[in-house]
Amino acid sequence: MGPVDKIEPPTEGAPVGDYTFNPPGPEPGAGPEQVIEGFLLAGTAAQDDYGTAREFLAPKLAGEWRPTERTLVYDGGVKITKAAGEHAYVLNFEVASVIDSRGIRVIADPGTTRSVPVELEQVDGQWRISGIPDGTMVSASDFPSLFEGYTAYFFDPTYSYAVPDTRWLASRQGVAASLATLLLEGPAPYLAEAVVSAFPEGTRLAQQAVPVESGVASVDLTSAALDGTTFLDRQRMQQQLELTLGPLNTVSSIRMSVGQRDVEIGDRAAAGFEPAVKDPAVGSRQIAVLDGELVFYEGSAVQNPPLPKVSQLHPREPALAPNGDEAAFLGDGGLYTIGADGTVRNVVAGTELTGPSIGPFGWVWTVSGQRGTVSAVPLDQSGGPAVPVAAEWLAGAEVSDLRISRDGTRALLITQEDGESKVLVAGIVRDGDGVPIRLSEPNELPSPFAADSAAWADETTVAVLDSGGSEAAVLRLDGSSEELGKLDGMEEISAGNGPDNIYVQTSDALYSRVGQSWAPQPPPLVLDPAFPG
C-alpha cells in the first residue's frame, strides 16, 4: 500500500465571468499522486474542451474522455488512497451534488460519499492517467465560480404558460449552443410528461454551435425541425428560443434557420398566436379569515367582498382562484368550493385535509394528509366530483402542504416520513382533456430546516415555514436558499409577486417581509391569508 494523500479545496473563486481558472499542466517527473492532483485541479478549467485536464491523460483516454458527462461536486477534500493493482488508486470524498450531462443538478443527502477508481501508466517515462470515469470533480467552494444556472423554457400542454427548467452549465464559450442543445433534447425527467416542447421530437442543431453576432443568436436546425409544422408551431418554436436564449447577456434577438435558410414563421395574428405567459403575476389581493368570515385583504386593509357568509362552517385556510372569481376553504366536514355565482358546495369530506390550492386550469387540490391521497376537484359546478391523482411515491408519507404552481404544471409538496421533512416539486400529468391523473416522481429542494408549510413566490422560487414556527426561508429550484429573519410564533406563510412579497402570520399580528426583517401590519388581524393559487 502506498501513501495516503488529501487534497484541500482552493479558496472560493471570483464570481462567474470575473475570473478564468488557468491551472498548470503536468510537471515533468511528477509522481502518480501529483498527476492525480493536477488532473483534479485542471477540471476547473473548461476552456478548450478541458484541454489542460486532457494533458494528464494517456493518449488513448485523452481522446475518449467525456468531461461533461457528469460533474461531482465534493465537500471538504479528496482523499487519494493506493488500491489493489500495481498502478491503481481510489479517490474518496463526500458528495455535495451531482450534475449530469444534461445540466440537471441533484443535491446529495448529507454524508453521502463516493469512491472513484483511477489507473495510471507511464507514457514516454511520464505518469499519465489511463483509466478514470467520464466527468469532472470540483469542490463545493469553487462550484459557484465554475458553473452557472440557466433556464430552459417549455410550455404547459395548452401553450398558455412558459414553464422553467433549471440547468447548470460550466462557464465557458458556447453556452448558447449548450443551452439550445439541452432545450431540443427535452425537459428534465420530473417535467417530461407535464410539459410540451414546440420542437418536433428529433430536432437537433445542424452544427454544435450558436454563433452570436451583434446580439443576434443564429440557431440553425436540422431539417426535422419543420416536419409537419404550421406557422403557429414555428411561432411557438421561435418564442421558446427567445425565452431560453434571450436572457443571455450577449443575446438580444434570435434568428432561427434550417440549412442556413431563415425559417418562415408567417403572420402571428393570422395564425392565432398568443404568447405564453412567463412567470404569471397574482396581483396584490389575498383572501383571508376575519371574525369567522372570508374577506379580501389588500394594501394592509380589509375589503368587503361579495363572498357568501360561511361562519357556520368555521372556515380556515382559504384559497383564491387565479381569476379572482372562485374560492375554496376548509371547514367543518371537509373541503368547500365557492363558485363564481356564490354557490358553496362540500366537495371532499374529511378532517385531515391539507389547505386547498387552486391552479389556473379550474381545479382545486387537496391531500388527505395522513394517507397521502391527492384529490383534484373541478371548480365548475357541473364539472363533477373529486378525481384521485395517483402519486405512488407518497406511500408511507404524511403530507402537510400542497401548492400548485402558477403555470399549473407543477405541485409543491411538504412531506414527513420517518421523522424527516422534505420539500418536493412534482410534475402534474394530465389526460387529453386536461384532467389531472398523476404526479411524476419529484425533485427535492434542499431546505435549511424541517419545513411544514410553503407557498410559491414566483416561477422558480418558493417560501417555506419551519415546523417550529420561528424560521422561514426562500428556496430556489436551482438548489440555493436564503434564510429570512426569525420571528417566534409564525403559523402561516403566503407569497405574492416575488420573494420580496412574503407575509407571515402569528397569533398576534400579520407581518410582511422588509429585507431580512418582518414589519407588523396594522389591525385588524386576518388569519390564514393567501394569494391566488
Side-chain angles (χ1 to χ4, degrees):
M1 298 295 289
V4 174
D5 198 4
K6 185 175 182 180
I7 301 173
E8 295 296 342
T11 56
E12 185 169 348
V16 169
D18 292 347
Y19 182 79
T20 299
F21 283 80
N22 190 25
E27 291 286 340
E33 293 87 353
Q34 291 174 297
V35 169
I36 295 172
E37 292 172 5
F39 172 76
L40 293 177
L41 183 60
T44 63
Q47 57 267 30
D48 300 324
D49 192 23
Y50 293 85
T52 301
R54 293 181 190 274
E55 295 178 16
F56 291 87
L57 306 178
K60 185 176 185 297
L61 181 60
E64 298 175 348
W65 177 63
R66 296 180 295 174
T68 59
E69 184 67 18
R70 178 189 65 179
T71 298
L72 299 173
V73 183
Y74 61 85
D75 271 327
V78 176
K79 186 177 181 181
I80 304 174
T81 306
K82 187 68 177 67
E86 188 175 1
H87 307 306
Y89 292 80
V90 65
L91 311 181
N92 294 295
F93 49 88
E94 186 174 343
V95 180
S97 61
V98 179
I99 300 172
D100 69 11
S101 61
R102 299 178 61 191
I104 299 170
R105 183 187 184 194
V106 177
I107 306 297
D109 292 332
T112 300
T113 59
R114 187 72 64 94
S115 296
V116 175
V118 184
E119 294 183 355
L120 293 96
E121 66 180 30
Q122 285 198 321
V123 178
D124 298 329
Q126 303 295 322
W127 287 107
R128 293 294 182 263
I129 296 172
S130 59
I132 194 169
D134 289 328
T136 59
M137 290 161 274
V138 302
S139 71
S141 58
D142 280 337
F143 177 77
S145 300
L146 299 172
F147 281 77
E148 188 167 0
Y150 298 90
T151 303
Y153 278 92
F154 297 90
F155 300 107
D156 78 274
T158 70
Y159 291 92
S160 300
Y161 298 96
V163 184
D165 185 354
T166 301
R167 304 297 179 91
W168 287 90
L169 299 175
S171 304
R172 63 178 185 272
Q173 291 182 337
V175 166
S178 297
L179 195 54
T181 298
L182 296 176
L183 175 70
L184 296 174
E185 289 177 350
Y190 84 102
L191 288 175
E193 297 180 86
V195 301
V196 296
S197 175
F199 292 92
E201 187 175 354
T203 303
R204 297 290 182 264
L205 292 179
Q207 296 183 345
Q208 192 55 39
V210 175
V212 180
E213 297 182 7
S214 301
V216 180
S218 296
V219 182
D220 192 39
L221 305 169
T222 56
S223 58
L226 301 184
D227 289 349
T229 60
T230 65
F231 282 150
L232 179 58
D233 295 329
R234 299 173 191 181
Q235 290 158 10
R236 288 168 172 166
M237 292 159 62
Q238 178 78 19
Q239 188 193 16
Q240 198 170 355
L241 287 172
E242 291 170 350
L243 288 166
T244 300
L245 301 182
L248 299 179
N249 56 18
T250 57
V251 176
S252 57
S253 62
I254 307 294
R255 172 181 174 262
M256 185 170 62
S257 61
V258 169
Q260 299 297 330
R261 299 181 62 180
D262 287 354
V263 173
E264 185 179 356
I265 64 174
D267 180 80
R268 293 192 172 192
F273 174 78
E274 291 289 340
V277 177
K278 176 179 176 292
D279 197 12
V282 294
S284 57
R285 188 170 68 170
Q286 302 190 68
I287 191 170
V289 178
L290 177 64
D291 297 331
E293 295 288 1
L294 299 177
V295 298
F296 286 139
Y297 180 83
E298 185 174 12
S300 302
V302 173
Q303 301 177 342
N304 293 318
L307 289 169
K309 300 296 184 180
V310 292
S311 59
Q312 73 280 6
L313 298 173
H314 302 103
R316 64 187 188 279
E317 299 193 57
L320 187 64
N323 61 17
D325 296 330
E326 298 157 303
F329 63 93
L330 295 183
D332 292 349
L335 172 65
Y336 294 81
T337 59
I338 301 176
D341 61 358
T343 301
V344 179
R345 61 180 182 138
N346 184 198
V347 292
V348 178
T351 58
E352 298 293 335
L353 303 175
T354 62
S357 180
I358 304 176
F361 300 121
W363 294 85
V364 56
W365 295 69
T366 188
V367 183
S368 178
Q370 292 184 343
R371 295 196 303 271
T373 303
V374 182
S375 299
V377 185
L379 275 172
D380 184 350
Q381 298 289 343
S382 61
V387 298
V389 181
E392 295 85 357
W393 48 270
L394 277 176
E398 180 178 348
V399 179
S400 61
D401 210 351
L402 179 149
R403 298 292 159 188
I404 302 302
S405 65
R406 294 161 188 178
D407 51 51
T409 64
R410 297 164 291 163
L412 168 68
L413 300 97
I414 308 294
T415 66
Q416 286 81 33
E417 185 174 5
D418 298 328
E420 181 182 4
S421 170
K422 293 183 178 181
V423 182
L424 306 172
V425 179
I428 299 172
V429 183
R430 302 173 187 268
D431 66 15
D433 296 321
V435 177
I437 57 175
R438 179 165 52 86
L439 297 184
S440 68
E441 289 285 338
N443 265 6
E444 182 177 356
L445 300 184
S447 175
F449 48 71
D452 182 69
S453 56
W456 287 95
D458 59 30
E459 64 175 6
T460 59
T461 309
V462 301
V464 295
L465 191 64
D466 80 324
S467 56
S470 62
E471 295 183 284
V474 169
L475 311 183
R476 300 177 182 85
L477 298 191
D478 64 10
S480 63
S481 63
E482 176 189 6
E483 293 192 61
L484 306 180
K486 292 189 176 184
L487 179 67
D488 289 337
M490 292 186 287
E491 299 175 353
E492 299 290 341
I493 190 166
S494 62
N497 298 308
D500 292 329
N501 190 208
I502 295 175
Y503 288 77
V504 294
Q505 174 230 309
T506 71
S507 60
D508 300 320
L510 183 67
Y511 294 80
S512 65
R513 179 185 179 185
V514 179
Q516 296 301 108
S517 302
W518 301 101
Q521 303 301 290
L525 170 62
V526 295
L527 304 177
D528 301 348
F531 286 93

